[in-house]
Amino acid sequence: MPRVLSGIKPTGKVHLGNLLGALQHWVADQYENDSLYCVVDLHALTVPQDPATLHETTLQLAQILLAIGIDPEQSTLFIQSHVHEHIELAWVMECTASFGELRRMTQFKDKSETADFVSGGLFTYPALMAADILIYDADKVPVGDDQRQHLELTRDLAIRFNSRYGETFVVPEAAIPKAGARVMDLQQPTSKMSKSDDSPQGTIDLLDDLGVAARKIKRAVTDTETEVRFDPVAKPGVSNLLSILGACTGQNPEDLASNYTQYGPLKADAADAVVEVLRPIQKRYAELSADQPGTLAILGQGAGKARAMAAPKLRLVKERIGLLGI
Ligand code: AMP
Ligand code: TRP
């Protein structure tokens, strides 16, 4: 079975775009692959974090992943910092990457231009991400388009290491979902729905009250026409509602358009579909929140399984590069 690995940072809330664009695929992938999913808390440290908030959002994100259907019997679910081998391999990756390569990463350039404090970790972040992936010999890495460059670097580092020291790492492939999976902001349908707090009415958090979520859909910006047609350029708001309805019900947005002659019924159906997706997630999330020790036990088992894979690989790497073992 191919091995799949992905990671998500515990920063901010998890929204409908994350679910429909990424996390839903994680759930589906776990039945056809040997899958590993990790909450990358060490990546969150690249920018300043409040300790109490980080602690809470890490646990909450793990519970959300379980609530959406990541099944610990099918997948290895763990917290990155529980498997210290990632950091040891990250140092090796930092020494495998060149300064020039890291400096060319567009995410670093964008983030470092606007940040007040640019940590060394923000610069070396892609080496840690490469370690997360290579330590498990992952074949496929489902990520958003914004991570394409980091994946390319990961591949280059694997190839370089293999050619210097002999075959050690699998060279992974990025699995980037098709553009259709992009969920747009409900108030500004030409921008992506996102974690930032600027548009609370445009973003549906997975833990939003169901009535609030339905109202956000019903108040979504459309346009002054009345025709329902899937045309993301000319009709971004209406097309976004069709995409959301389609992604929630497993239908094609173009086909759905022909069922509607007015915006009202489309909004009502999209709101119902979102509520029906969120309802079971929130029910399961509430159960998990009431049983923190249960969640920690699942994460402990996940970390144990992950370490059993990571430790022998790290040992091999150390041997290959000439570190003295005892
Ligand atoms: P982020 O929230 O940017 O850390 O992204 C986590 C994952 O969710 C990545 O795989 C993103 O590509 C995906 N994602 C984030 N926002 C959206 C969106 N509006 N529509 C679809 N996928 C998204
Ligand atoms: N950098 C990724 C992001 O910002 C998160 C991430 C860290 C990741 N390690 C990973 C994703 C390993 C996939 C595989 O979204």
Side-chain angles (χ1 to χ4, degrees):
M1 259 207 247
R3 180 166 290 171
V4 164
L5 175 134
S6 199
I8 181 165
K9 273 184 296 194
T11 46
K13 293 186 172 150
V14 185
H15 56 74
L16 192 66
N18 296 135
L19 178 72
L20 301 179
L23 303 178
Q24 228 175 33
H25 300 290
W26 292 17
V27 176
D29 279 346
Q30 64 186 344
Y31 301 103
E32 285 145 34
N33 300 278
D34 171 9
S35 47
L36 291 119
Y37 297 121
C38 73
V39 175
V40 289
D41 53 350
L42 298 171
H43 278 95
L45 297 179
T46 52
V47 295
Q49 298 288 340
D50 169 59
T53 311
L54 179 62
H55 185 271
E56 195 183 312
T57 49
T58 302
L59 180 64
Q60 191 183 61
L61 180 54
Q63 288 171 332
I64 287 180
L65 294 176
L66 291 167
I68 64 163
I70 299 295
D71 176 354
E73 299 292 319
Q74 294 287 342
S75 298
T76 303
L77 175 68
F78 65 103
I79 309 289
Q80 184 186 30
S81 65
H82 292 170
V83 185
H84 65 74
E85 284 81 358
H86 290 227
I87 312 164
E88 279 188 69
L89 185 61
W91 176 252
V92 176
M93 288 299 132
E94 282 175 47
C95 298
T96 306
S98 72
F99 178 77
E101 274 173 323
L102 292 171
R103 198 176 41 189
R104 281 195 292 278
M105 294 293 117
T106 53
Q107 193 173 74
F108 172 73
K109 286 198 253 179
D110 294 346
K111 290 198 173 176
S112 58
E113 267 165 25
T114 50
D116 299 331
F117 176 78
V118 179
S119 70
L122 191 66
F123 185 66
T124 56
Y125 175 119
L128 176 58
M129 176 163 166
D132 298 339
I133 297 166
L134 299 180
I135 204 160
Y136 298 108
D137 281 335
D139 301 293
K140 276 201 302 177
V141 184
V143 280
D145 196 40
D146 59 331
Q147 297 299 311
R148 196 187 286 273
Q149 199 187 24
H150 292 160
L151 241 293
E152 270 310 307
L153 177 66
T154 303
R155 290 169 54 87
D156 290 345
L157 297 180
I159 292 167
R160 186 173 307 151
F161 190 100
N162 287 348
S163 76
R164 276 190 194 157
Y165 303 108
E167 282 304 308
T168 307
F169 297 120
V170 168
V171 180
E173 301 273 344
I176 295 174
K178 285 186 240 78
R182 253 164 55 123
V183 178
M184 310 309 281
D185 187 284
L186 298 169
Q187 292 299 319
Q188 294 150 33
T190 49
S191 338
K192 253 177 47 163
M193 186 177 283
S194 82
K195 273 175 184 172
S196 64
D197 287 332
D198 339 325
S199 184
Q201 293 309 315
T203 303
I204 294 184
D205 291 331
L206 296 193
L207 301 180
D208 265 349
D209 173 85
L210 295 179
V212 170
R215 265 198 303 285
K216 287 182 183 176
I217 296 270
K218 288 182 183 157
R219 291 184 188 155
V221 165
T222 49
D223 52 47
T224 53
E225 299 177 5
T226 52
E227 188 198 359
V228 177
R229 176 161 52 89
F230 186 76
D231 180 347
V233 177
K235 298 176 78 73
V238 173
S239 304
N240 190 34
L241 291 171
L242 287 165
S243 296
I244 291 173
L245 176 59
C248 289
T249 57
Q251 298 175 79
N252 183 328
E254 278 104 340
D255 300 343
L256 280 170
S258 60
N259 298 346
Y260 300 95
T261 51
Q262 288 172 341
Y263 293 166
L266 167 63
K267 284 184 167 177
D269 286 357
D272 286 348
V274 167
V275 164
E276 289 322 311
V277 165
L278 297 186
R279 193 193 305 281
I281 294 176
Q282 294 189 1
K283 181 166 178 281
R284 178 95 183 95
Y285 178 80
E287 290 160 7
L288 289 156
S289 310
D291 178 21
Q292 188 167 319
T295 305
L296 294 177
I298 291 171
L299 295 175
Q301 280 163 12
K305 281 204 287 182
R307 287 189 75 184
M309 295 180 231
K313 178 61 92 181
L314 182 67
R315 229 175 291 128
L316 175 66
V317 168
K318 287 175 155 179
E319 205 180 284
R320 291 266 157 96
I321 58 183
L323 299 182
L324 181 66
I326 44 165

